[in-house]
Amino acid sequence: MEQTIISLKNFIPECVLIVTILVCLLADLIVRKKSAVVAVIGIAGLFVSGWFVIGQFGVKESVFFGMVVIDPYSVFFKLLFIVSTVFIILFSLASKEIKDSTHTNEHVYLMISLTLGANLMASSVNMLMMYLALETVSITSYVLAGYMKKSKRSSEAAMKYVIYGAASSGIMIYAMSLLYGYTGSMNIFEISSILSKMGGTNPMLVIVMVMILAGFGYKISSVPFHFWTPDVYEGAPIPVTGFLAVTSSAAGFAVLIRFFSVTFLKSTTMLNGSLQIIDGIRWTEIIIVLSVASMIIGNFVAVWQMSFKRLLAYSSIAQGGYIMLGLVVANQQGLTAIFVYLVAYMIMNLGAFYALIMISNKLNSDDINDMKGFAYRAPAVAVGMGIFMFALSGIPATVGFVGKFYLFSALIESNMIWLALVGMMNSVVSLFFYIKVLKYMFLSKPDEENSGKIYYGIAGYVLLFILVIPTLLLGIYFGPIVRFAEMSAVMFGLK
Amino acid sequence: MNLWLFILMLSSCDIRFILLVLFLNLSLLLINIMIDINFYLILSAILFAIGVIGVLVRRNAIIIFMCIELMLNAVNISLVSFSSFLGNSSGQIFVFFVMTVAAAEAAIGLAIVISLFRNKETLNIDEINILKW
């Protein structure tokens, strides 16, 4: 009892989120029509929670009997999730798809509960907690993907998502039950120390590892588990798509990195520079295969896409591949590179999805053919989209370049030059389809019947500007994010 | 084995009674050879495999959800048997949570099935194909 009360002190951000969800729910019942009030309450709650999260910086503590830890690693991810949720709620206010749906304001508290689940995913160190947090995120995102009840596409996307998600999390917990039977513990630190005593010669452990990777890999949409991604991204409303691309996949990375670098490394050796994998469990090689496959399939299939949402889906599969390259290095530098890349990834993707919301609000379509000559009709939005596309492909002087630079230099310093080369060649391929969008927007003339100018409200331009500024500024002045990433690359229980 | 029962069994012509006696004897036999943890694990593995195969080959969305439930229940059997074998209660606690999550997932899944059926009038997943490539 006493420990529970002490633990609650370190659990305030999550408690604030829970209270916010309940207050939003009540406010929605009272207001009973579409209104910004619920969204404002939600954003206020997120800010309060974020303020408490910042207060946790530097704390390294295990709370609730070793279920959850508070460490700089989890604080980084929590801040990332909260910031992206604030933006996504703002996007959903602007989105026509959400406005036209039959619901009132459910999306606000669904999004905040997804954030709650993601926060727990980033900080859990027990397999039970990992599974529950993952399911919180999954179940909420099934509902969000099917948010437009009247739309065939949205409900089809939700159906595909729920089947894939439930099956792969079922496979994951089966593997977790086997790991529990083999080691007799649910806590990943205990599992790690037991495994390093026993050695990993049992072939069952490899099967367990691959099956657990199926559960986490579906969240980050890594290649053999990526089939849901394009369909769900295309069917879901665009703010939800952005949310899945940013928060849900970053949460998948949070839990994947913590699980693999704690469980399958010899206890407390990860951040010394040299990697000591438990004998017999060569998980870095599997990660290399998945990462290269994700980059190649993501980038090459995106070349043929004519739906912008599908293009962004394949692009996010490829970006997931880049992030996994940092996990292969698995030392302090690799983790720092992952963090820098995740910040860049969040800013670029949020920007791209917001620009897409602005475009498809007016065009009622996400087909690239319909965007012909968009630059003549709404120049500011087209230029914004251009900046985000350049950032996603990693052109210098944008934040995307900084992320890729840190990843590839971490790879080169640990003598994995060929992997860095594969990554760079993939960036070149990705440039092709990102520029293809811009070619349609800038170089072709609009059709005769719809060539009128398109105007947006001032709020729309302001939000776009808020996202363009860090994309460019952090590309030149990237000291702060690198320092922040270096400070955050500290995990509980690892020296 | 009870001699009286055996004689009764032979003298009776009721097939149900014979089957009952045979079943009782068989279970006595199994208890004698000590059911160890492997039996439970094999059962759980078989159930899990049936679930996975069902998810892959069946075409009706509801049956796919049932197969997913089967996978989760296979996990439950495996967790409970490990827990009792190791004398460690955390596996049994996990089972409660798995059951709760399975219920939540089934609720969401069936809600999505209903909304899909209202839009498309079909549950055959081969016909759910607007979104592809």
Side-chain angles (χ1 to χ4, degrees), chain A residues 327-405:
Chain A
L327 181 56
V328 173
V329 184
N331 56 20
Q332 180 91 38
Q333 208 187 358
L335 204 54
T336 310
I338 289 178
F339 282 0
V340 174
Y341 199 89
L342 276 170
V343 173
Y345 175 75
M346 179 191 81
I347 297 169
M348 305 180 296
N349 259 339
L350 286 177
F353 279 106
Y354 184 60
L356 180 58
I357 289 172
M358 291 181 93
I359 292 171
S360 81
N361 271 354
K362 299 290 175 180
L363 298 182
N364 287 325
S365 148
D366 54 57
D367 198 306
I368 297 175
N369 276 320
D370 294 344
M371 295 175 196
K372 264 185 198 159
F374 196 78
Y376 298 95
R377 307 175 66 190
V381 179
V383 169
M385 182 59 105
I387 291 167
F388 298 129
M389 288 292 112
F390 279 127
L392 278 167
S393 59
I395 298 281
T398 58
V399 72
F401 173 74
V402 182
K404 286 211 171 71
F405 176 78

Side-chain angles (χ1 to χ4, degrees), chain A residues 88-135:
Chain A
I88 294 287
I89 290 178
L90 289 176
F91 294 176
S92 66
L93 289 178
S95 162
K96 201 170 149 218
E97 284 171 312
I98 300 272
K99 229 175 266 168
D100 291 348
S101 70
T102 49
H103 303 274
T104 48
N105 297 303
E106 282 100 324
H107 60 95
V108 176
Y109 46 81
L110 284 173
M111 282 165 178
I112 299 172
S113 36
L114 202 154
T115 314
L116 174 70
N119 281 358
L120 290 174
M121 261 168 105
S123 49
S124 52
V125 289
N126 189 298
M127 290 200 291
L128 170 59
M129 203 61 223
M130 281 178 178
Y131 171 65
L132 287 179
L134 191 121
E135 284 294 335

Side-chain angles (χ1 to χ4, degrees), chain A residues 127-128 131-132 135 139 142-143 148-153 155-160 162-163 165-167 169-171 173-174 176-178 180-186 211 231-232 234-235 305 310 314, chain B residues 41 44-45 48 52 55 61 64-65 68 71-72 74-75 78-79 82-83 86 88-94 97-98 101-102 104-105 108-109 112-113 115-116 118-120 125 128-133:
Chain A
M127 290 200 291
L128 170 59
Y131 171 65
L132 287 179
E135 284 294 335
I139 290 177
Y142 306 149
V143 182
M148 297 184 290
K149 236 175 19 179
K150 293 282 157 63
S151 144
K152 279 185 187 178
R153 286 166 174 270
S155 47
E156 181 178 328
M159 183 78 203
K160 286 181 172 168
V162 77
I163 290 176
S169 72
I171 290 172
I173 48 168
Y174 188 68
M176 282 182 171
S177 80
L178 293 180
Y180 165 69
Y182 190 67
T183 57
S185 174
M186 290 279 181
M211 282 165 89
D231 291 355
V232 173
E234 192 185 346
Q305 299 306 321
R310 284 188 98 78
Y314 281 106
Chain B
L41 292 184
S44 132
F48 186 78
V52 172
V55 169
I64 291 177
F65 278 116
I68 289 169
M71 282 162 69
L72 294 178
V75 173
S78 142
L79 278 171
F82 276 130
S83 169
L86 297 165
N88 176 335
S89 65
S90 55
Q92 294 177 21
I93 306 293
F94 203 143
F97 285 101
V98 173
V101 168
E105 217 162 44
I108 293 291
I112 288 170
V113 163
S115 91
L116 184 72
R118 282 190 181 148
N119 285 324
K120 296 202 60 155
I125 55 165
I128 306 177
N129 56 4
I130 319 174
L131 308 168
K132 55 187 171 189
W133 299 111

